[in-house]
Structures are given as C-alpha cells and as structure tokens.
Amino acid sequence: MHGASGAACVLYLHCPEGTGKSMLLRRFALEARAAGRIVVRVDGRTTPATADAFTRAVRPVAQEPGGVLLVDSFEHCRSLEGWLREECLPRLPCGTVAVVASRHEPDPHWPADPGWTGLLRVLPLGGLSKPDAAAFLRQQGVLPHLHDALLAFAGGHPLALALAAKAAARTETEGGAGFADPPLGQDAVAALLRRLVGTPPDEAHQAALDVCAQARVTSVELLRAVLGDQGEELFLWLRDQPFVETTRLGVFPHDVVREALKADLCWRDPAGFAELHRRIRDHLLERTRLAPASRVLETVGDLRFLHRFGRFLAEARGRPSGGRAEELPRTVGHEATLIRRIRRQEGPESARMAAHWLREQPGNVHLRRLGPGEEDVGGSAWLRLMPFEGEAEDPVVAAAWAHTRKHGPVRAGEHIALARFHVGEYGDHRPSPVMDASLGRMVGDIIRDDRLAWAFAVLRDDGFWDSHLRHHAMEPTAGTVTVDGHRHRLFACDRRALPAVLGGAANAPLLTDAAPGPARSGQDPFTAADVLVLGEEEFAVAVLAALRALRRPRELALNPLQRSRLVLAHGMGLKDVVTSAIGSLPLERGGDKGYRAATAAYVEGASTQAAAARRLGLPLSTYRRHLAWATHRVTRIMWEHELSGTPLLSPTDRSRR
C-alpha cells in the first residue's frame, strides 16, 4: 500500500469464501489511509455488474494519482473481467494500486498477456497454518483437549475455525462431553455451506456436490456412473466452483467443504448418503477389477479414501505414512540393496528367504525408492503360490499352507498369495509408503483375482494391525511363526467366502458386508463365517442332489449349497439359482434339447425318466443322453459362477435383456 519501487500495481487475490479476503482488504484500506492515500472500495455484491456502474464507483480514485482501488467479491462481476483488464485499470492514473479479491482465479488471458508482465501479481490465499490455527483456538478460549477434533475438521479455514470455536464454547457452557463428527452443530454446518458453497442450481448439482464430497477425485466417468447422462455437464460446473481444485485425474473440493457437505447429507438423508456411497463404491470396485496393473494402487487408494469415514485407516495410528514412494524397475543393484536392508531390519534367515523368492518370483517382489540415495531402496513381496509351492523352503509359507488345509483346501485351478517382507524407512512394520503399497496391492488382488483362494498378510505379532486388517476381511490365524527372533502373525482371508459383489453399507468394512447398515435390495448381509467352501467334487454332488430335490423344499433346505457364496451373495434362493442355471441352457449351442430334458425331469418333476421321455416324444436312450448333458452343463455353469463370484441371471433379468 506504500507503492514500493518495482512492486506490481495490480494484486489479484483469490481463495474460497470465508478465508479472509474482505478482512485483508480492510487492513489494506487502513494502511493506505494511514499512508495518506485515497482509498476507494468497490463491493461486487452491491455494485451492478455493468461497465457504467463500475466506472462511476471507481471515479474518485481515477481523478487523482497515487490512489488505492480495492475491489471485493469480484466473483459477482466476472462478466466484467475483460473490460476491467483491458479498459478500466489501464486508464487509472500513474501510481494507482489496485487489489482485486475473488473466489475465482483470474481469467487465464490476464496473466498470459505480455502487457501485464511485471504489473500483475496473482496471489492465492491459503488457510492458517496448524500452529496459527491452534493459537486462534486458544485465543477463543477453546480447551486443549478439543483442539485435535476441531483442527481435523476445519484445518486452517478461518470461518470454519470460528464456527467450531463457537460450537466448542456452547458445548462447554451446556456441559457437553464432546463432539460428534464433525464438531459443529447442524446450524453451523448450514451457515458454513451457505457461505462457502451457496445454493446449487438444482437437485442434480447438489448430487454432484455430494459425490464430490465422498470421492477422493471426481471425474466425468464417475459422475456418469453414479448420476447418469448429465455427468459431463455437472463436471464442468464443479470444475468452475471456487472451492474445487483441478488435477490430472479430476476435481476435488477444499477439505472443509468436503467435511461440511458430508455432515449435511448424513444429517438430512442418512439413507441417501449410504446409497450414494454404495454407488460410488460399486463403480470403484469395477474400475479396480478392470484397471491395468499399473493403476491398481490408484484405484484401491480411491476405495480406501471412500472408507475414511469409518474405522478403515483411523486405527492405523502412529507415525504418518509419509506419502508415496517411487516404484523401481528390477536391477541387480537394487535387488542386492533390498536384501541388505532385509538382513539389517529382519535378520539373515529372512534375507535368505527373500533372496529365494527373488529368484523364484522376481516379478512379484516390488522395489521402491524411499529417498534420493542409491541405498534408499525398500520393498515388499506379493507371492502367488500354487499347491504347495514354497512349503519346504519358507516356514511362513508352510504355515499358510497348513492353515488352508485346516480351514478350506485350495481347489483345482486356485492358488494362494502372501504379502511379505515389508521393509521401508522403519523396521517395525508401521505405516509407511512400502506398507501402503503392499496392503493396497493385496486388496487389489483380492478384488481382481477370481482364482485366488486365500490371501495372507504377514506382519509382526504386536497387535498394531489387527483391527485395520479386519477391515480387509483378514483375521489373525491361530499361531505365530518365529524367524530371526521376530514373531510373525499371518492374517488370512478366504477370498471364496467373501460377498461376490463385495458390496456394503457406508461404514462397512472394505471387503465385506458384515457391518450394520442398509442392505442392497434383495440381499442380506453375511460374513465369511456364513459361507461353506466346497471342493469341485463335493459341489457337483450337491448340485445333483439339489436338482433331484427341486420340488421338495424341506430336502432342498438341507442341501450344503444353501451356504455357498453363489446363493448367499445374490439375493436368490437355491431353487431360483438352480432354475436359473437350467434356464440358461438354451443360450448354448444345441442347448434347447438339454433344457427340455432338464425341465421335464427336475422342474416339472416327471415321475420316471420313461414318463418324461414319452412326454417329450423321445426314445428313452435319447432322453437320457440329453438329460446327462444338461446335468453336466448345469453343474459346470453353477461351479463357474461360484468361482468367479458373478451372479446367475434370473428368468426376469434374462427376459429384460
């Protein structure tokens, strides 16, 4: 405000609402008047957005050199930006200083114009630093034990902090014990949203905001999947909002806006919040299934972020993970550095086993750079093992195979996988970029790999990760394995016992439906303990028994397939599942004959095969051949769906297609 030599003559401030633009302009005005300069303040909220109105408003500063023009809330007059840049400001007298404050960044043409080089400074305003925010709370009389909750919600956003401080004072006055999530009353949340977001044009735009609040990054693809054909239009609107940031992957809102939107939707429509969460989750699960291997960690990260409202990462307390670490290509030098680090952190026996797996499965040992030096190499392994690979060489792998024999043997064509050797900056198996990548890769494979029978995570046996891994549907096994004096616990997940669609309520664990919450239509939540995993021969025997008992409900109720994933996961009873499998036979080449034979024998319940053959006008031998083919195909169809986790279409669904 003192017009220092070489200073820009136009300062363009931009930041979200409630960050302190107006307060800063008032301070500028005080200092400018104290320096003896004329100050003109134009408020975009009250000045008509016309060139004539603005010209009249700035006239006092245009009549005398050395004045100060302060334009507040310019977002309400964005249509005048070109005129302001090209006509209004260039006509001001020499020595005039102008400050424009807006919720939006300036038009890209402005800073790109060579004529403004050195004359324009664009300054984004951030929130308060954590120490400054904490100092503000102390100044407002907020008790220290409440600071963490308030700072976690509001960050450094001044308006949110002010509202939170008032809520804290009110809670203390009223004798409250603590805060809900977030630590604001609903009136304060509503006031915050009015200031920061305003009123969306309609329900579709409100829904887009709600999606943006839940998802880590919102893209056109996500909006289309969740909200339909308006996705692109809604995305462009979101991108234009001043509280939304743009990245190469999409857009995301300011943290305090995200939390306020989430709190508001949870309050006004809890069922709608859960349904929106489910739809976003379904889309992210499908993306994870179909993503190339190079993007799996990214898509799993989106899923993990979606579950931040529950207990997913909150209980992995301790030192921060430190962000991401660069994944390295395999080289002899890097592998040798990894083995040295494993020897130093885990011991010589662990290093020997890691070297073995580097030779046997080099593509499944992932190297990561932890820092700038050549010695800063860590990594982890995601071992995929066929029966009974590695049992003799590695006691940890032997323990995994022993667990599968006892709790659910691997079936033909299946394999197991182990997450092992998590070595990073620390040697104590705590949150780190290496651990994040290792657990993310594990979750991705559980979602993607239809032939994965069991997944195991191998970690120090100190209880730190127990509740966290339960969120991955991974339970600690009974025993421990000691290697180099360190006790290791295996956490196991029978992938075949998971809900095939991996769906769930808003606060459900990441890979199960066990937590309470609204169930999907026609589908009751179930846990891994409810599922019976059958071998292929046992499954075939059970299918034949189900076919023969199709018209006898009491006998059918005792069939072991009642506890198969195929039945539990899709909201169809065993009779409907078997009938749907029979109904799919005509879709196969030459399947009509088998369909008619199976329908006569099992659905309509002919008294004898001879009677069924007469009804169809077939020789008995021909009928038996058709029935044998149909029985075999129904068994294979049901087995393939049991393994893959995909539902059989009901007759109604097939007719719609």
Side-chain angles (χ1 to χ4, degrees):
M1 296 300 105
H2 296 281
S5 177
C9 61
V10 176
L11 178 63
Y12 196 112
L13 307 173
H14 65 90
C15 60
E17 180 71 16
T19 309
K21 298 185 299 296
S22 298
M23 182 68 72
L24 185 58
L25 291 187
R26 284 195 286 272
R27 179 61 181 267
F28 285 168
L30 287 173
E31 294 196 6
R33 290 190 180 103
R37 306 184 69 153
I38 294 175
V39 177
V40 171
R41 189 168 183 271
V42 180
D43 192 330
R45 290 168 295 188
T46 56
T47 302
T50 66
D52 288 344
F54 249 72
T55 298
R56 288 193 297 271
V58 304
R59 186 169 294 152
V61 80
Q63 294 174 343
E64 185 175 336
V68 174
L69 171 63
L70 304 175
V71 181
D72 197 5
S73 301
F74 187 62
E75 66 271 8
H76 296 282
C77 305
R78 292 182 74 190
S79 60
L80 295 178
E81 188 163 0
W83 171 83
L84 185 74
R85 178 181 71 247
E86 297 171 7
E87 298 188 38
C88 178
L89 294 180
R91 291 176 180 172
L92 295 179
C94 181
T96 302
V97 174
V99 182
V100 181
S102 174
R103 296 171 68 182
H104 300 275
E105 297 181 26
D107 186 310
H109 293 95
W110 197 333
D113 187 341
W116 281 98
T117 301
L119 302 178
L120 170 71
R121 183 184 178 193
V122 178
L123 181 64
L125 295 181
L128 300 174
S129 66
K130 189 171 183 179
D132 287 344
F136 173 80
L137 293 178
R138 289 193 297 272
Q139 187 183 50
Q140 297 299 308
V142 178
L143 297 179
H145 72 279
L146 302 177
H147 286 194
D148 286 345
L150 297 177
L151 293 174
F153 170 73
H157 194 280
L159 176 60
L161 279 170
L163 290 172
K166 289 181 181 178
R170 185 169 60 251
T171 301
E172 288 296 319
T173 301
E174 296 171 357
F179 287 115
D181 179 19
L184 290 177
Q186 196 52 44
D187 289 343
V189 169
L192 194 60
L193 287 175
R194 281 195 300 271
R195 289 287 302 275
L196 301 183
V197 177
T199 303
D202 52 36
E203 290 184 2
H205 290 78
Q206 179 64 60
L209 285 172
D210 293 333
V211 171
C212 198
Q214 291 211 38
R216 178 168 69 169
V217 177
T218 299
S219 63
V220 173
E221 177 190 17
L222 174 61
L223 290 173
R224 282 177 178 158
V226 176
L227 302 179
D229 294 339
Q230 284 184 277
E232 185 168 2
E233 173 191 338
L234 295 172
F235 178 83
L236 294 175
W237 177 79
L238 282 173
R239 190 178 65 180
D240 198 39
Q241 301 309 301
F243 51 83
V244 170
E245 300 288 336
T246 300
T247 72
R248 65 180 182 85
L249 299 175
V251 299
F252 65 91
H254 187 285
D255 287 346
V256 72
V257 173
R258 187 191 291 280
E259 294 301 317
L261 285 167
K262 171 246 176 178
D264 182 63
L265 181 58
C266 284
W267 170 76
R268 61 183 162 84
D269 188 4
F273 177 87
E275 173 62 15
L276 184 62
H277 178 102
R278 182 193 66 75
R279 290 161 70 182
I280 297 171
R281 188 168 183 264
D282 284 353
H283 172 72
L284 295 178
L285 284 168
E286 187 66 12
R287 276 187 62 207
T288 301
R289 292 188 191 101
L290 301 178
S294 61
R295 294 194 61 191
V296 169
L297 291 181
E298 177 187 301
T299 60
V300 170
D302 290 340
L303 276 168
R304 297 169 83 176
F305 183 87
L306 187 65
H307 283 257
R308 71 199 184 282
F309 299 142
R311 300 180 302 275
F312 180 63
L313 291 176
E315 295 181 2
R317 56 198 178 278
R319 66 173 69 92
S321 69
R324 293 187 176 184
E326 174 192 1
E327 188 149 331
L328 296 171
R330 294 196 315 275
T331 69
V332 173
H334 288 153
E335 292 174 354
T337 302
L338 176 66
I339 296 300
R340 285 196 297 272
R341 185 180 284 273
I342 292 174
R343 181 178 292 108
R344 187 166 62 248
Q345 292 186 359
E346 301 287 334
E349 184 63 11
S350 288
R352 183 192 65 78
M353 287 183 284
H356 166 78
W357 291 117
L358 262 172
R359 291 190 301 271
E360 295 296 316
Q361 297 193 17
N364 291 332
V365 179
H366 304 276
L367 306 171
R368 305 189 81 81
R369 187 184 301 283
L370 308 175
E374 287 300 318
E375 290 297 314
D376 292 331
V377 174
S380 61
W382 177 243
L383 305 175
R384 293 182 175 88
L385 306 171
M386 300 301 293
F388 289 92
E389 186 180 359
E391 187 170 27
E393 294 83 7
D394 188 335
V396 173
V397 171
W401 285 122
H403 183 86
T404 67
R405 289 189 187 96
K406 183 175 181 180
H407 297 281
V410 173
R411 303 178 292 202
E414 294 179 337
H415 59 272
I416 69 171
L418 283 83
R420 287 221 46 197
F421 308 118
H422 320 282
V423 288
E425 303 93 323
Y426 320 114
D428 52 3
H429 288 199
R430 288 300 185 262
S432 70
V434 167
M435 188 65 75
D436 288 348
S438 181
L439 296 181
R441 188 172 283 108
M442 178 187 71
V443 170
D445 252 31
I446 290 173
I447 293 170
R448 292 159 63 89
D449 191 346
D450 291 339
R451 292 297 183 262
L452 177 63
W454 287 89
F456 295 90
V458 184
L459 293 161
R460 293 282 177 83
D461 182 38
D462 60 4
F464 180 87
W465 291 97
D466 289 17
S467 59
H468 178 81
L469 285 171
R470 283 193 172 99
H471 210 102
H472 296 79
M474 306 198 78
E475 295 291 332
T477 58
T480 61
V481 182
T482 300
V483 181
D484 290 316
H486 300 298
R487 286 199 316 169
H488 297 274
R489 175 78 62 180
L490 275 70
F491 294 80
C493 168
D494 187 344
R495 198 262 188 200
R496 304 162 299 184
L498 291 178
V501 291
L502 298 175
N507 286 319
L510 183 63
L511 296 176
T512 72
D513 267 340
R520 299 180 70 170
S521 177
Q523 174 184 324
D524 293 328
F526 67 93
T527 67
D530 298 324
V531 181
L532 178 64
V533 177
L534 298 172
E536 187 172 4
E537 292 184 5
E538 298 170 303
F539 191 91
V541 170
V543 171
L544 181 58
L547 286 166
R548 291 171 173 169
L550 206 57
R551 293 169 60 85
R552 299 191 290 275
R554 290 185 179 180
E555 185 177 339
L556 194 64
L558 301 176
N559 192 289
L561 293 179
Q562 295 282 6
R563 291 181 55 204
S564 67
R565 180 171 66 158
L566 183 61
V567 172
L568 291 176
H570 302 297
M572 295 170 64
L574 178 56
K575 182 177 181 180
D576 291 332
V577 169
V578 175
T579 303
S580 294
I582 294 171
S584 68
L585 293 176
L587 302 177
E588 303 193 17
R589 185 176 181 181
D592 287 338
K593 297 174 183 178
Y595 169 73
R596 288 195 295 270
T599 299
Y602 303 130
V603 179
E604 296 173 353
S607 56
T608 64
Q609 289 190 3
R614 285 195 299 272
R615 184 183 306 171
L616 297 176
L618 297 173
L620 181 58
S621 60
T622 302
Y623 169 78
R624 285 175 172 169
R625 186 172 70 253
H626 293 170
L627 183 61
W629 178 89
T631 302
H632 170 75
R633 285 305 303 151
V634 166
T635 302
R636 291 305 305 172
I637 289 167
M638 291 178 62
W639 176 245
E640 288 164 5
H641 283 272
E642 170 74 4
L643 289 182
S644 68
T646 55
L648 279 157
L649 291 178
S650 67
T652 301
D653 291 334
R654 277 198 301 275
S655 66
R656 288 174 181 166
R657 293 194 173 190

